[in-house]
Amino acid sequence: MENMYWDREIETIQREQLRALQLELLNRSLLRAAESDFYKGRIPKSIKNLEALQEIEFTTKNDLRNSFPRGMLAVPLDNIVRLHSSSGTTGRATVIYHTRDDIDNWTEIVARSMYMTGVRKNDVFQNMMGYGLFTGGLGFHYGAERLGALTIPASSGNSKRQIRLMKDFHTTVLHITPSYALHLYTLFIEEGIDPKKDLDLGIAFLGAEPHSEETRVRIEDLYGINAFNSYGLSEMNGPGVAFECQYKKGMHVWEDSYIFEVIDPATGAPVEDGEAGEIVFTTLKREGMPIIRYKTGDVACVLPAPCPCGRTHRRISRIKGRTDDMLIIKGVNLYPMQIEKVLMDIPEVGNNYLIEVDSVDYLDTINVKVEVRPHIFHGEIGELEALKSRIVGDLKNEILISPKVTLVEPNSLPKSEGKAVRVIDNRKGENI
Amino acid sequence: MASQVSVFVENKPGRISHIARVLGNNNINIRAITISDRGEYGLINVLTNDPEKAYAVLSNEGFSVSRKYVIGVVMKDRPGALADIAEYLNESDINVSNAYGFILQEGDRAVLILEVENFDRAEQVIRKGGFHTLTKEELHNL
């Protein structure tokens, strides 16, 4: 029988051995991290056992922002071969640095993850995620090449070309956002193509957006494929942090690369297995920018039972939500604060707005409503049009998504006194 | 000088009736109404016998309202009358951003309402051309 593991030894390592390995790697990580301005003096250079990790302070997204651009860099910049940065143009950007070995380790766990779901070197992998600063595209790209699959760097968008590539090169594996998979299906129907009969698809990786089990099943039915959920975040490299195996019951977190904890976000104390809490990660292998006890804001729980696949790395549930107000729109993470900052900088708008997120034809849309109050209205249509395009332009610069802007009558939005609702997310269920 | 009020409205049912009812309840007479439509929103321009009062009552009602001076050119109600004025405006290099007209009750005269960019110059030029422009009082008594 064909080998079902990419790296049998590490994937099926005994828990006790794994813990010993983790402690060893953690101490290396702490030592390296202590070289950075941020962690110097904040963390011990070594600890005696894994439990002692819980005494170390958490690292937050704000810490990453505040230490931009080099506060968490742990090696000379000479040794860095790549960075991935969030897009913010308003000074809220974050950056992650990778050495050559970091890229190599990341590539290895992505290859391992893909292999786990059944991808082999004779597969044709069409990577439909954006290439660039976003980690989803490049992370999978190198993993697939390491595995040996024929990799098509299709990147995102251009649906007709995507469909043609699938036909021309007999694509067998897709990497796609779940909303785009659903949207693309309607185009297949328009083109008279039945993906089940007319294509060679077998596997899809659904990433970058939390989605429900129902959405997975729907995509599997429409395309006649196996769809796998995965989890990753740029702070922890990107894709490949946790991945489903063939049983599709939770995602194995690669515990030889990350220590993860599930905590009560309010108290910081660990929660019981099976209980939902915020996921906290510590990098075990990253040299360029180790991060210790990173609070992800993602809520999930540990599935305690051993998995029938034989892998000993523990599984987490689907992401059940966020501890903060982060929105995921078209696979892009953004905070209402980013939008608010842009709008506040436009004096005519001020705090006189409402953000509506919707799903139209399975594609996320964002609509910013602005009240045309008397002080901004001078009776000129041209002036209103100019205001509208200015808002669209400024927002696109910041969040990289083109929002719709709607001008509405005065007093039609919720009042700004007290805690006004500024974001209405109408995408039912898909975010949970 | 004549003036109209422009009201910002979303493109949804009931906006004209709401505005007309507010004006009616306040005993304001509408002379003419036009709509500049931009898809999801638009401007409703209303020429009334009492622009100040129209502005006040619509503002009170919560609308975003703006007052705008317009030129009301009185002309004979006969073929070619509008062409005469339009040609004159063109020769005088006056750019019109919006225009509409209506016939007066007496039957043989009409009023052309013009929104122009340079109001003061335009009004001077039009008067110099021998055309009669409506005063505030005349608008009130129409």
Side-chain angles (χ1 to χ4, degrees), chain A residues 57-168:
Chain A
E57 241 182 292
F58 292 113
T59 302
T60 65
K61 183 93 179 173
N62 260 336
D63 293 332
L64 287 184
R65 287 183 185 128
N66 293 338
S67 59
F68 183 89
R70 285 194 277 277
M72 287 197 194
L73 188 64
V75 299
L77 208 52
D78 271 9
N79 298 350
I80 298 299
V81 299
R82 198 197 300 167
L83 64 79
H84 282 277
S85 175
S86 71
S87 56
T89 55
T90 49
R92 301 182 64 79
T94 58
V95 58
I96 305 291
Y97 295 100
H98 301 273
T99 65
R100 193 175 299 282
D101 282 348
D102 291 341
I103 296 292
D104 191 67
N105 285 324
W106 177 17
T107 298
E108 184 66 14
I109 55 171
V110 175
R112 186 200 290 173
S113 301
M114 294 176 81
Y115 193 92
M116 171 164 70
T117 65
V119 181
R120 297 296 179 264
K121 68 190 295 294
N122 59 343
D123 274 306
V124 179
F125 171 63
Q126 187 164 327
N127 193 9
M128 297 167 64
M129 291 291 183
Y131 279 62
L133 288 172
F134 173 58
T135 55
L138 286 174
F140 264 84
H141 178 93
Y142 287 107
E145 286 191 352
R146 163 96 30 116
L147 195 152
L150 169 54
T151 304
I152 308 174
S155 197
S156 53
N158 199 339
S159 303
K160 292 216 161 142
R161 189 180 64 188
Q162 300 284 4
I163 293 173
R164 207 183 63 229
L165 288 169
M166 286 179 207
K167 287 175 73 176
D168 287 350

Side-chain angles (χ1 to χ4, degrees), chain B residues 61-73:
Chain B
E61 189 69 13
F63 284 105
S64 277
V65 192
S66 154
R67 239 171 323 180
K68 197 187 284 173
Y69 287 121
V70 292
I71 302 174
V73 189

Side-chain angles (χ1 to χ4, degrees), chain A residues 251-267:
Chain A
M251 301 177 280
H252 292 278
V253 178
W254 296 123
E255 293 183 89
D256 60 320
S257 295
Y258 308 96
I259 289 179
F260 81 96
E261 308 162 62
V262 183
I263 61 154
D264 176 341
T267 64

Side-chain angles (χ1 to χ4, degrees), chain B residues 12-137:
Chain B
K12 58 186 185 191
R15 307 326 285 144
I16 296 179
S17 63
H18 189 174
I19 290 168
R21 180 56 62 203
V22 172
L23 295 174
N25 286 346
N26 286 281
N27 210 20
I28 297 167
N29 211 346
I30 298 173
R31 299 296 175 212
I33 181 165
T34 62
I35 299 173
S36 321
D37 174 41
R38 278 294 181 281
E40 64 202 17
Y41 71 88
L43 302 188
I44 296 181
N45 305 305
V46 200
L47 189 75
T48 64
N49 64 343
D50 193 343
E52 278 78 22
K53 195 170 169 197
Y55 177 84
V57 296
L58 288 171
S59 296
N60 264 344
E61 189 69 13
F63 284 105
S64 277
V65 192
S66 154
R67 239 171 323 180
K68 197 187 284 173
Y69 287 121
V70 292
I71 302 174
V73 189
V74 183
M75 54 189 184
K76 283 270 177 230
D77 181 24
R78 61 158 173 85
L82 177 58
D84 291 345
I85 295 176
E87 276 165 13
Y88 177 69
L89 292 173
N90 185 27
E91 284 158 15
S92 314
D93 202 23
I94 289 172
N95 198 23
V96 175
S97 53
N98 192 18
Y100 55 94
F102 54 94
I103 299 168
L104 294 180
Q105 263 173 355
E106 60 212 54
D108 61 345
R109 288 195 308 163
V111 175
L112 174 68
I113 300 289
L114 298 169
E115 287 177 37
V116 293
E117 276 157 17
N118 188 339
F119 181 86
D120 291 336
R121 177 176 167 262
E123 192 170 45
Q124 267 182 15
V125 169
I126 292 170
R127 277 187 187 158
K128 220 184 277 175
F131 298 99
H132 178 69
T133 58
L134 286 180
T135 62
K136 192 175 150 187
E137 291 69 32

Side-chain angles (χ1 to χ4, degrees), chain A residues 181-391:
Chain A
L182 290 169
H183 175 71
L184 199 62
Y185 185 78
T186 60
L187 295 181
F188 275 114
I189 299 309
E190 275 173 30
E191 305 253 310
I193 299 169
D194 180 354
K196 271 190 212 175
K197 289 194 202 120
D198 305 330
L199 299 174
D200 302 277
L201 299 176
I203 290 176
F205 300 119
L206 304 180
E209 297 164 353
H211 56 283
S212 61
E213 187 60 35
E214 290 69 31
T215 299
R216 181 233 298 276
V217 170
R218 188 172 158 75
I219 292 169
E220 288 186 327
D221 285 349
L222 293 175
Y223 285 86
I225 52 171
N226 272 311
F228 294 92
N229 190 13
S230 60
Y231 173 77
L233 60 165
S234 62
E235 296 88 336
M236 295 293 125
N237 298 342
V241 174
F243 228 94
E244 284 182 337
C245 64
Q246 71 266 37
Y247 290 98
K248 301 182 200 166
K249 296 267 189 246
M251 301 177 280
H252 292 278
V253 178
W254 296 123
E255 293 183 89
D256 60 320
S257 295
Y258 308 96
I259 289 179
F260 81 96
E261 308 162 62
V262 183
I263 61 154
D264 176 341
T267 64
V271 301
E272 296 290 320
D273 281 0
E275 220 174 280
E278 180 176 6
I279 313 188
V280 171
F281 284 108
T282 298
T283 62
L284 289 177
K285 290 187 176 163
R286 199 155 64 205
E287 301 169 342
M289 190 169 152
I291 300 182
I292 312 299
R293 301 197 85 203
Y294 181 66
K295 285 183 86 175
T296 61
D298 288 321
V299 174
C301 63
V302 175
L303 307 175
C307 184
C309 77
R311 290 178 185 84
T312 49
H313 300 244
R314 287 177 304 159
R315 290 166 298 158
I316 54 169
S317 67
R318 284 183 181 281
I319 304 303
K320 298 167 188 284
R322 295 278 309 169
T323 58
D324 60 14
D325 55 359
M326 188 180 88
L327 295 167
I328 301 179
I329 294 170
K330 292 183 181 166
V332 176
N333 298 352
L334 62 95
Y335 288 88
M337 264 304 294
Q338 288 176 272
I339 297 176
E340 179 162 323
K341 174 129 194 349
V342 171
L343 296 176
M344 290 294 191
D345 281 347
I346 303 176
E348 293 90 329
V349 179
N351 60 1
N352 161 32
Y353 68 91
L354 179 74
I355 302 160
E356 272 184 4
V357 184
D358 264 295
S359 177
V360 177
D361 231 355
Y362 305 114
L363 291 183
D364 296 339
T365 61
I366 177 163
N367 184 7
V368 177
K369 292 185 164 177
V370 175
E371 280 181 7
V372 176
R373 293 206 184 142
H375 72 279
I376 71 170
F377 180 64
H378 305 108
E380 301 295 332
I381 285 262
E383 203 176 21
L384 295 174
E385 290 292 297
L387 173 65
K388 203 170 139 170
S389 29
R390 180 171 169 212
I391 301 170

Side-chain angles (χ1 to χ4, degrees), chain A residues 350-353 371 373 413-422:
Chain A
N351 60 1
N352 161 32
Y353 68 91
E371 280 181 7
R373 293 206 184 142
L413 300 180
K415 291 276 179 293
S416 59
E417 297 103 53
K419 252 195 141 184
V421 181
R422 292 271 174 236

